[in-house]
Amino acid sequence: MSIRVFLLDDHEVVRRGLRQLLEDADIEVVGESGLAAEATSRIPALRPDVAVLDARLPDGSGIDVCRDVRSVDPTIRALILTSYDDDEALFAAILAGASGYVLKQIGGHDLVDTIHRVAAGQSLIDPALTARVLERVRHGEQAPAELAALTDREREILGLIAEGLTNRQIGEQLFLAEKTVKNYVSSILAKLGLERRTQAAVLASRLLRHD
């Protein structure tokens, strides 16, 4: 089956070039946009296998789009494509649940290969880096005031929420019943004064940028 891709980039020329590259490689482009808000609403409806997202946009960030889309449908995989080699953006992309973070200098053949690998469920982000980022979030480094009320287990679950995992996936990873995880999430949101798990993921990302 053909891989289905959505393109988000604020430069029309870039989108046209990417579309041609992907279509030549028998990858179907199901939609495209130049704005974060539009992409956030269209991607879940189109349900592509991979969303290729520009990190910096006039009305927001592809990383925020990644987080919002994956909170709605975690089966949609995201690849951040950016001109900026930025550690903080990379960390935020990991927390948003991105499967890859590549620079626009990447060659066309390599980009096609990357999309194939992401569509197949591979993560192209160094697992050691992912572990280090999530460890910082889980233990609340640089954010004692905001995370002090959370237990170690709640911090661990907050990190997994930020990683884009569902309650069921968190339960499977931590060997907990899904209902137990739901109770933990409710407790985390209450302690942090939040209403939705997407807000918890945003908070985790913000705390990370204070590091």
Side-chain angles (χ1 to χ4, degrees), residues 8 38 41 46 53 80 83 107 112 117 123 126 130-131 159 188:
L8 172 60
E38 182 182 41
S41 64
L46 291 168
L53 309 172
I80 306 299
S83 302
V112 169
R117 291 169 65 187
S123 174
D126 184 350
T130 301
I188 291 168

Side-chain angles (χ1 to χ4, degrees), residues 140-159:
E141 294 179 18
Q142 302 298 322
E146 285 159 295
L147 295 185
L150 301 186
T151 65
D152 289 343
R153 175 64 92 183
E154 287 169 344
R155 289 178 183 174
E156 184 177 24
I157 290 174
L158 175 61

Side-chain angles (χ1 to χ4, degrees), residues 27-43:
I27 293 175
E28 181 184 1
V29 178
V30 297
E32 62 179 70
S33 177
L35 296 172
E38 182 182 41
T40 300
S41 64
R42 292 185 63 202
I43 292 173

Side-chain angles (χ1 to χ4, degrees), residues 14-111:
V14 173
R15 295 200 307 273
R16 285 187 177 184
L18 288 172
R19 176 184 282 272
Q20 189 64 56
L21 171 70
L22 299 182
E23 290 180 344
D24 286 348
D26 293 324
I27 293 175
E28 181 184 1
V29 178
V30 297
E32 62 179 70
S33 177
L35 296 172
E38 182 182 41
T40 300
S41 64
R42 292 185 63 202
I43 292 173
L46 291 168
R47 298 196 66 192
D49 299 302
V50 180
V52 179
L53 309 172
D54 190 3
R56 299 187 183 183
L57 298 157
D59 65 333
S61 162
I63 294 170
D64 292 333
V65 174
C66 171
R67 180 185 302 111
D68 291 343
V69 166
R70 285 181 51 80
S71 72
V72 173
D73 187 348
T75 67
I76 298 174
R77 304 185 185 281
L79 177 66
I80 306 299
L81 186 62
T82 179
S83 302
Y84 305 94
D85 189 5
D86 181 342
D87 282 349
E88 291 304 314
L90 172 57
F91 290 170
I94 291 172
L95 287 171
S99 296
Y101 185 97
V102 296
L103 298 179
K104 288 185 177 178
Q105 292 92 318
I106 189 172
H109 176 78
D110 289 337
L111 178 60

Side-chain angles (χ1 to χ4, degrees), residues 106-194:
I106 189 172
H109 176 78
D110 289 337
L111 178 60
V112 169
D113 179 63
T114 296
I115 289 173
H116 274 281
R117 291 169 65 187
V118 168
Q122 297 183 36
S123 174
L124 304 185
I125 295 174
D126 184 350
L129 178 60
T130 301
R132 180 159 56 88
V133 170
L134 294 177
E135 189 70 15
R136 289 161 66 184
V137 175
R138 287 172 186 155
H139 290 285
E141 294 179 18
Q142 302 298 322
E146 285 159 295
L147 295 185
L150 301 186
T151 65
D152 289 343
R153 175 64 92 183
E154 287 169 344
R155 289 178 183 174
E156 184 177 24
I157 290 174
L158 175 61
L160 295 174
I161 290 172
E163 198 175 351
L165 273 64
T166 64
N167 286 353
R168 177 175 295 181
Q169 291 169 329
I170 293 171
E172 290 172 353
Q173 184 159 327
L174 300 180
F175 303 102
L176 296 172
E178 187 174 352
K179 184 177 180 181
T180 302
V181 175
K182 184 177 180 180
N183 291 337
Y184 272 119
V185 172
S186 296
S187 176
I188 291 168
L189 296 180
K191 289 180 178 180
L192 297 177
L194 304 174

